[in-house]
Amino acid sequence: MRDPLPRRRLFGEKLMAVAARDAGSTVRWWKNGDHPGDRIGEVLPDPIGGGTYVRQEGAVVRYFRHPQFDGGQVHDGCGRTWHDHGWIDSGGDGLTVCPGDHIWTGADGRVFGVYKPGQRGQS
């Protein structure tokens, strides 16, 4: 059987061409606040106690917290602890973001995908 990797790369290049055409962007994520839409440090009104608070968690890539995963456990896929990971709430199961992943965001701010380096034509 033919190696599917060249097809994946070609598909990835097409995805990147669509992202460029739609004025979307791809950003490499390493930690909380790396996505340009995260708005870390933004002062917001406090809906519970009144007053204001400063945003600590990313607005796009949130902290990864899950009741079935101990944050100190190591993720087999990347070798980093779960507390080093991010989470994008995109409906359904959402998207887990490993440190070093690429996040493709459209011009409208909608996240289209998360890709590992070397996957889908990324470098």
Side-chain angles (χ1 to χ4, degrees):
M1 185 170 136
R2 215 170 83 197
D3 182 10
L5 187 58
R7 281 187 287 152
R8 276 192 245 143
R9 283 195 180 138
L10 179 61
F11 182 62
E13 290 166 7
K14 287 180 182 177
L15 279 177
M16 298 313 297
V18 169
R21 181 195 72 208
D22 293 341
S25 64
T26 303
V27 63
R28 194 148 188 206
W29 186 90
W30 292 99
K31 63 183 180 1
N32 185 47
D34 279 353
H35 192 281
D38 274 346
R39 303 188 319 259
I40 299 295
E42 178 181 38
V43 178
L44 300 165
D46 185 348
I48 297 172
T52 60
Y53 72 98
V54 177
R55 181 187 296 276
Q56 301 293 314
E57 179 179 35
V60 175
V61 184
R62 302 175 61 195
Y63 295 127
F64 181 91
R65 301 294 182 263
H66 194 283
Q68 294 179 355
F69 295 93
D70 174 4
Q73 286 179 317
V74 174
H75 177 213
D76 292 338
C78 69
R80 303 282 295 265
T81 64
W82 282 106
H83 276 314
D84 291 340
H85 289 69
W87 175 262
I88 299 173
D89 186 6
S90 63
D93 291 334
L95 300 168
T96 301
V97 185
C98 294
D101 281 355
H102 296 267
I103 301 170
W104 176 27
T105 307
D108 61 357
R110 187 175 55 183
V111 174
F112 286 102
V114 175
Y115 305 105
K116 308 281 180 229
Q119 180 187 20
R120 304 240 187 240
Q122 299 287 334
S123 58

